[in-house]
Amino acid sequence: MIPNKNHIQTVATAPPAGARWTGLRGLLRARGGRLTPQRIAIYEAVVGHTTHPSVEMVHAAVRARFPGVSRATVYATLDLFADLGLVQEVGGRVRRYDGRAGRHVNLVCERCGGVTDIADPRLEALERRTAVRAGFDVRSARFELHGVCPRCRAQSRRAGGRSGTKASGGRRTEGARDA
């Protein structure tokens, strides 16, 4: 049986009575939306994890609970969550999402597509100093470095290849970019 999209399949998909979903419910209501079981499932598939799932991975996880959920719903919800600052889209070959709260650097491997989080308490101070210097009101920030991870570099060395990046003039990072 394929449930109707408003049907709650299990108790686990219903928002808890406590304050856990109050903030998200308020953010969505301010945008004219509502907190559905499908949105909860999408949120839980990304936020709080360090796996940086692709849209396909999120869709597969949510379809396990809600077989009728469309890929378009997952894309739209992830875009909404990014606009609300709950997740960040990570650059790279595949559209991935970062649900980790707090400022950190995403190291994105151009070969395997892996994403590694590195926390650095100095990022907030750097962001603040840079914004003040430019008189800029920051709405969101994304810190990414693109290059080749240690595992891919080691594989390349074993295969007798170069350890540099793609043909990009030898440039190894893009530095910090605004989202």
Side-chain angles (χ1 to χ4, degrees), residues 62-86:
V62 174
R63 280 195 63 185
R65 290 166 64 179
F66 300 98
V69 73
S70 72
R71 191 173 284 110
T73 295
V74 173
Y75 271 106
T77 301
L78 288 170
D79 285 344
L80 173 62
F81 287 170
D83 287 346
L84 293 172
L86 301 171

Side-chain angles (χ1 to χ4, degrees), residues 2 9 13 17 31 45 64 66 71 76 83-84 95 112 114 121 142:
I2 297 179
Q9 279 187 308
T13 61
R31 295 281 295 260
F66 300 98
R71 191 173 284 110
D83 287 346
L84 293 172
R95 189 172 179 177
C112 70
R142 179 169 69 191

Side-chain angles (χ1 to χ4, degrees), residues 8-41:
I8 297 174
Q9 279 187 308
T10 66
V11 176
T13 61
R20 179 172 180 203
W21 299 108
T22 303
L24 181 55
R25 185 177 283 113
L27 287 171
L28 291 171
R29 190 176 295 132
R31 295 281 295 260
R34 59 191 185 91
L35 184 60
T36 64
Q38 292 81 5
R39 284 182 170 167
I40 290 171

